[in-house]
């Protein structure tokens, strides 16, 4: 709290003297574009849904006019479930980036946006519907049991951790990759890192190796692939209902 007060004051003082200006028409275009391309995963207001909250993402706070966000949006992070949007025009991208900055600005400057907003949103579901989805259409019961591996899961983690674990079971350590080098040589190993710039593995001989992502062909093998494959299939209601159910597993 004190930390927020100090930060908010620091952030507000210069802005009071010089309020941020956002071109309202561009923000509205960005909002519409964001809603149709990104809202399904990040939430229409960008506060997160089945994909992370963007308003608190460091990639947004470090961004100036799309220099950080642009490459992430254009290239995606396919191995993490973030698709590439490489057909957006420069204008569409700029509008969306502006919309995100405006949302973050509003969140920081409006006392009415609670710090734990994603949690509040998540807990609006219906536990009984979540249970039915878990056992039925969601297919969760094929791999999980609420009396075995998921028993007491809500006591193990805070709701936000639980959300994180369900949507992104921490898998980097489990993933392996097959990397084909420009000369055709194939390397395999445990995946250390993969993003739009760099790919790194620890090869079978124990050595760490990395390459610029653009120079190699990479195939990632993920033991969690089947779990993650569920993600795009959830509707908003499913996600909220599932959490309402999972938090009852104390
Ligand atoms: C199919 C779901 C999906 C869609 C659609 C999607 N994203 Fe993402 N996005 C993700 C996931 C999952 C991540 C987390 C990736 C990771 O962990 O690195 C992510 C990460 C991001 C990040 C990085 C956040 C950070 O941690 O710094 C940005 C920025 C982003 N998305 C913007 C967008 C924008 C803008 C759109 C629409 C043009 C969009 N995303 C559409 C799933 C999606
Ligand atoms: C094909 C198998 C599969 C399906 C289907 C599946 N999962 Fe998973 N899930 C996994 C695996 C594997 C893990 C990683 C377990 C671990 O970390 O030990 C996991 C992790 C989790 C975790 C985190 C557990 C922890 O202790 O960190 C939760 C919560 C979860 N899944 C919920 C679900 C829900 C809800 C569904 C249905 C919508 C679902 N899973 C569908 C295989 C699956």
């Amino acid at each position: 709290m004190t930390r927020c007060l100090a930060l908010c004051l620091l952030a507000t003082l210069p802005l009071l003297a010089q309020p941020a200006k956002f071109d309202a028409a561009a923000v509205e275009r960005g909002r519409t574009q964001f809603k149709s391309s990104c809202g399904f995963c990040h939430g229409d207001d960008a506060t997160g849904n089945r994909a992370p909250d963007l308003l608190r993402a460091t990639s947004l706070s470090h961004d100036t006019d799309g220099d950080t966000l642009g490459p992430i949006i254009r290239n995606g992070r396919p191995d993490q479930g973030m698709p590439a949007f490489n057909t957006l025009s420069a204008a569409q991208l700029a509008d969306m980036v502006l919309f995100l900055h405006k949302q973050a600005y509003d969140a920081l400057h409006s006392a009415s946006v609670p710090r734990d907003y994603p949690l509040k949103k998540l807990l609006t579901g219906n536990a009984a519907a979540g249970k039915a989805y878990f056992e039925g259409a969601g297919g969760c019961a094929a791999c999980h049991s609420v009396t075995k591996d998921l028993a007491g899961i809500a006591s193990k983690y805070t709701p936000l951790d639980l959300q994180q674990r369900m949507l992104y079971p921490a898998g980097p350590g489990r993933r392996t990759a097959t990397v084909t080098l420009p000369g055709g040589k194939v390397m395999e190993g445990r995946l250390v890192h993969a993003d739009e710039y760099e790919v790194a593995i620890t090869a079978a001989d124990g050595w760490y190796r990395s390459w610029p992502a653009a120079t190699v062909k990479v195939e990632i093998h993920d033991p969690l692939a089947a779990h993650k494959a569920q993600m795009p299939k959830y509707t908003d209601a499913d996600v909220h209902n599932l959490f309402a159910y999972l938090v009852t597993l104390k």
Side-chain angles (χ1 to χ4, degrees), residues 33-34 36-42 50-54 56-60 68-70 72-73 76-77 79-83 85 88 93 96-97 100 164 167-168 194 231-232:
Q33 178 76 43
F34 186 86
S36 74
S37 304
C38 331
F40 177 71
C41 291
H42 291 287
R50 59 180 65 60
D53 176 1
L54 294 180
R56 285 190 258 172
T58 46
S59 55
L60 178 55
T68 307
L69 292 174
I72 298 178
I73 297 169
R77 290 178 180 162
D79 63 306
Q80 309 281 1
M82 165 74 194
F85 290 86
L88 291 169
L93 192 69
M96 272 199 295
V97 166
L100 289 172
Q164 195 69 16
L167 295 178
Y168 316 102
M231 255 210 249

Side-chain angles (χ1 to χ4, degrees), residues 19-217:
K21 286 210 185 73
F22 295 94
D23 173 349
V27 168
E28 281 319 302
R29 286 194 306 270
R31 183 190 307 279
T32 307
Q33 178 76 43
F34 186 86
K35 206 168 154 181
S36 74
S37 304
C38 331
F40 177 71
C41 291
H42 291 287
D44 288 351
D45 58 359
T47 60
N49 194 354
R50 59 180 65 60
D53 176 1
L54 294 180
L55 304 189
R56 285 190 258 172
T58 46
S59 55
L60 178 55
S61 48
H62 291 171
D63 181 78
T64 309
D65 297 333
D67 61 348
T68 307
L69 292 174
I72 298 178
I73 297 169
R74 287 220 181 278
N75 303 320
R77 290 178 180 162
D79 63 306
Q80 309 281 1
M82 165 74 194
F85 290 86
N86 42 23
T87 59
L88 291 169
S89 71
Q92 286 171 320
L93 192 69
D95 289 346
M96 272 199 295
V97 166
L98 189 68
F99 162 71
L100 289 172
H101 281 287
K102 173 75 161 69
Q103 287 294 100
Y105 179 87
D106 288 351
L108 185 66
H109 294 86
S110 144
S112 67
V113 179
R115 300 302 293 166
D116 58 348
Y117 49 81
L119 178 57
K120 290 237 166 65
K121 247 186 4 188
L122 279 172
L123 295 177
T124 56
N126 174 308
K131 182 171 194 284
Y133 183 77
F134 186 96
E135 289 163 1
C140 319
C143 300
H144 297 290
S145 158
V146 298
T147 55
K148 294 187 185 125
D149 66 316
L150 297 185
I153 189 148
S155 321
K156 249 194 270 174
Y157 308 119
T158 66
L160 277 178
D161 279 348
L162 187 54
Q163 170 203 14
Q164 195 69 16
R165 281 180 176 266
M166 183 188 131
L167 295 178
Y168 316 102
R174 303 157 191 263
R175 288 181 299 165
T176 59
T178 309
V179 181
T180 309
L181 308 188
K185 188 176 177 210
V186 176
M187 306 267 322
E188 281 190 355
R190 189 174 64 76
L191 184 66
V192 178
H193 182 77
D195 64 14
E196 57 270 36
Y197 306 112
E198 195 200 37
V199 177
I201 65 170
T202 308
D205 57 13
W207 284 87
Y208 174 92
R209 287 189 177 77
S210 69
W211 301 270
T215 64
V216 292
K217 221 175 75 196

